[in-house]
Amino acid sequence: MSKILSSKPWYGPPPPAEVTCGSGKLLSQGAEARIWLLPVPLPTPSPSTSTNTDDTTDGRGHVINYQSDNKNASIDKAMTSSIRTLHVGGGIHVPHIMHFSQLSTHLASTSNSSSSQQHPPSPTVIIVKERFSKKYRHPTLDATLTKNRTKGEARSLIRCLKAGVSCPQVLGIAHWPASATSINNNNTGTTQKTTTSSCLFLEWIEGCTVRQYLEHRSSSTTPSSLNELDDDSSSNTPNTKRHRCNNDCNDDNGDESPIPSKQPDRITTPIDTQTLCVARTIGQLVGKMHAAGIIHGDLTTSNIMLKNPPWAINSDGGSSSSRCGETIDGDDANNNIPLLDWRPQLALIDFGLASSTTSTTTAANNSSNTNKQQHNAEEKAVDLYVLERAFLSSHPESERLVEELLGGYRDYFVSLDGSTDVVVVGKDDAQDVTVTAAASCDIGDKVDDVTATGTSPTTRPSKGKHGHAAKMILNRLEQVRMRGRKRECFG
Amino acid sequence: MASDSHAPAAAIRPCTATDPPCPIAPLHNLPIPPPSHFAHLYKPNAINGKTIVLGIEGSANKVGVGVLCYDPISSTYQTLSNPRKTYVSPIGCGFLPKETAWHHQAHIVPLIRAALNEAFPNELNPEQHLSAIAFTLGPGMGGPLKSCAIAARSLSLLWKIPLIAVNHCIAHIEMGRVATQASDPVVLYVSGGNTQVIAYSDGRYRIFGETIDIAVGNCLDRFARVVGLSNDPSPGYNIEVMARKHSMDKPLKFVELPYVVKGMDVSFSGLLTFIEELTRRREFIKDDEERQSENQFTTADLCYSLQETIFAMLIEITERTMAHCGQNSVLIVGGVGCNRRLQDMMAEMVADRGGTLCAMDHRYCIDNGAMIAQAGMFGLQYGSTEMVVKLEDTECRQRYRTDQVEVVWRPKTRGKHA
């Protein structure tokens, strides 16, 4: 990890002391935000909060420096009192983390309450997405933007979670001053404004990105690599591991990784039941998100996580205890035969560019508002187009996967009309997706069968308002394909 | 199409050819032109083997003629002359296509004469040195474009030399690259008609981010019109002067304006409407002396806030493109690129990323003929079939995107991203 830290270009103001105090590890650095992996020391189950907070503050001198303003008393008070929430718009409230030690107690409480869920009972590792301030901006503008964007991302994530789209849980939000210690060390003479970084605390999703999955599959199915099986599999592991670290939750470098370009050109994306099933599930997941009226804005294969990569299951029989990178086992992954009971569990990440529109349900209800409907279709079509481009540009010969994906997308909308067999409102989202995926995979035991069902997602008859909406979006996608993402404009 | 450049009056020099020759050797993306592959296309100068191109620009309110010379011995490009005329519209009014076209028609012939006289003093037939004529095919306003294209076509027939059709945006970029010797920068092209963030990839200049409605210069110009700032030398320059009243001791008020960045794209029309609404409010006052209460704001306040907001948007999309492409040098071209505040903000951002900002230069910031000649020269030397056109194919294109031109003079790299 330290290797990654040094190889990444570093810029922006120093991060909050909390994140850097020995434990936070930089996963990626974007133009606007940094992603940290932060282990959170959970307090022991017995409520001995006072000793715990003492420990954390004593252990790290930075923190004392950091809160060296006159807010000391209030922070102490805040630590002992219950956590307040911050309104992020749309009637959504998010835990407002005033101080680092609050986070651990808060996490402990949430993990206790939601221990029945499939998540591991104690999330000791979390993701911190830190939006740092920009020197070039006017300070007022900068503060507003940083705060509002973090809030907006939290809002989109929570909307997604409410709609049953699987994505990282929002654990909290914070507006922390960037570490005052290092600024003081640099130059005490000049009056340096303390800048605010807004942090979003997110659940750490285990697994790998879909991009990694596809690349791993393609590298393990090429004849050249099969010849030198052992060497290839062993060299694969660090590659994929680093790749994930480069791309995870990344704002801007999503597709921009040096690793795929180094691979020989003849590597093609494998088309088989397993990858088709993954593609279809992606389509359903995106469909679910769009049906809830959320536009992701940056859909790429690097921004979709596969929670249960097949090799993880092969190696230790369950995905829950596996950790990314550590259990990516080349030998097992080279196993080409699709696992019979394996269903992909996906999650969307990086909602930094997300926006929300009216959901298809409400849009379809007031049909007089056709203009707005058109606009929605355009935005969703562009979202799909971005995903399609991401597929085709980073995974050669993956046209079949895109077709399957769009088929899954359309089927999700159609399934919203009337038929109650697939999607039940509420419940566990991952379950829903896997059920439909299972259905599709059963059909597609032979690849040809899947081709027959999935080739023409736009031409199949659709009924009901959701089916109509999907048809509209997919028709719009045709138009977007013709002209590209941007319309041809003057000058 | 830098319609309303922020040309400080001082930058327009009386003599137009004082810039030193630009060597091309340090540009590793710009190999020395192939010797004579394209002998059928053009003839180098019979006397000294130089290639000389006349460029005619007139896509917006400026009409310019430049003479550019390539010297094969030193392998340098040199601007021999570069005169220009600007149509300045009255206060409160933009430049209309018809009137701008008239202006260009009136000035194009004297400008060509002046350019040739300056490039080849005391010669009776200076046209005999020319290898080709480059002109702006687009993008831009139809009337002005056509006026200049007619001049180019006539001269091509008269002098029997080939025509080169040049994309205006490409011309800005190429002149900027040659003048600053930046091999592969991210280009922020900001002018009255264009707002684009461009990076080269696989044979084309790809547009990574752009405005989805009006251009940044257009936004500034129209705001200047609303508050009654002069168009001389350019509205944007006058806005900049107003905004410069801001200082540490007497800070101007920052009025919050809509900040619209959508991914890599920006939008200015809503912002413009918003700020126009602000000028109709009661709190809006012309002068600071009239200020009675805290929530009032002056023209200078609005100028300052407008600049801060829209430039922050531009820097942000540029930074995103830099992160996306993994490049760390930035070139600002186009009329708005003359703005000091924009340059300062960009320099700050680029410094943070450990990159370089290419210095500003009037040769590529403001529309001129030499930059058309520069891009035309590349097209000629590398035999771009797209650019070296027949007379029949010289129909002007008002909409002509930067990524429509195949850049044959740069090496084909495997695409970073389309």
Side-chain angles (χ1 to χ4, degrees), chain A residues 163-383:
Chain A
V165 180
S166 91
C167 61
Q169 297 269 1
V170 181
L171 303 172
I173 196 167
H175 304 298
W176 282 341
S179 90
T181 47
S182 52
I183 290 172
N184 285 341
N185 288 342
N186 283 344
N187 40 0
T188 43
T190 53
T191 50
Q192 198 117 24
K193 287 170 218 150
T194 42
T195 53
T196 315
S197 320
S198 291
C199 296
L200 196 61
F201 303 97
L202 300 170
E203 176 197 7
W204 162 251
I205 291 186
E206 287 172 3
C208 66
T209 65
V210 169
R211 180 183 179 143
Q212 271 180 306
Y213 163 73
L214 288 175
E215 275 167 4
H216 193 93
R217 285 294 315 274
S218 59
S219 64
S220 57
T221 48
T222 11
S224 66
S225 68
L226 283 175
N227 290 341
E228 38 195 52
L229 234 166
D230 295 332
D231 292 4
D232 206 64
S233 56
S234 57
S235 68
N236 243 337
T237 315
N239 258 9
T240 36
K241 189 174 174 182
R242 217 193 115 203
H243 193 163
R244 144 101 203 196
C245 295
N246 276 343
N247 282 312
D248 174 36
C249 307
N250 204 336
D251 243 354
D252 306 278
N253 307 347
D255 302 10
E256 195 47 48
S257 173
I259 291 152
S261 60
K262 278 175 196 161
Q263 288 176 347
D265 282 350
R266 48 200 284 262
I267 287 183
T268 56
T269 312
I271 310 290
D272 56 28
T273 330
Q274 203 185 57
T275 51
L276 285 173
C277 188
V278 170
R280 175 160 282 268
T281 318
I282 293 173
Q284 283 158 347
L285 187 63
V286 173
K288 198 178 220 176
M289 184 182 71
H290 281 181
I294 298 147
I295 312 291
H296 186 281
D298 190 18
L299 281 175
T300 63
T301 44
S302 315
N303 280 342
I304 304 170
M305 299 290 296
L306 183 60
K307 288 198 229 173
N308 56 342
W311 50 80
I313 292 174
N314 262 5
S315 60
D316 58 12
S319 64
S320 60
S321 58
S322 71
R323 201 163 283 283
C324 168
E326 289 163 17
T327 49
I328 292 181
D329 203 330
D331 295 320
D332 288 327
N334 280 326
N335 187 359
N336 219 350
I337 305 151
L339 301 154
L340 285 176
D341 55 344
W342 183 77
R343 300 286 171 258
Q345 290 176 6
L346 301 170
L348 295 171
I349 57 171
D350 189 5
F351 282 69
L353 296 175
S355 58
S356 21
T357 61
T358 48
S359 66
T360 44
T361 8
T362 52
N365 278 344
N366 41 5
S367 53
S368 61
N369 215 342
T370 46
N371 222 349
K372 202 162 192 174
Q373 245 179 308
Q374 287 284 341
H375 182 65
N376 282 345
E378 165 78 18
E379 286 194 40
K380 284 164 189 170
V382 168
D383 219 20

Side-chain angles (χ1 to χ4, degrees), chain B residues 75-98:
Chain B
S75 52
T76 53
Y77 291 100
Q78 187 176 11
T79 310
L80 300 179
S81 65
N82 199 8
R84 167 178 60 214
K85 284 271 182 190
T86 307
Y87 171 62
V88 177
S89 51
I91 293 179
C93 181
F95 54 91
L96 302 171
K98 184 170 65 177

Side-chain angles (χ1 to χ4, degrees), chain A residues 32 54 66 98 126 167 269 298 348 371 389 443 475 490:
Chain A
E32 189 191 2
D54 279 1
Y66 144 74
M98 298 296 290
I126 61 167
C167 61
T269 312
D298 190 18
L348 295 171
N371 222 349
R389 292 301 313 161
I443 299 167
N475 283 344
F490 175 78

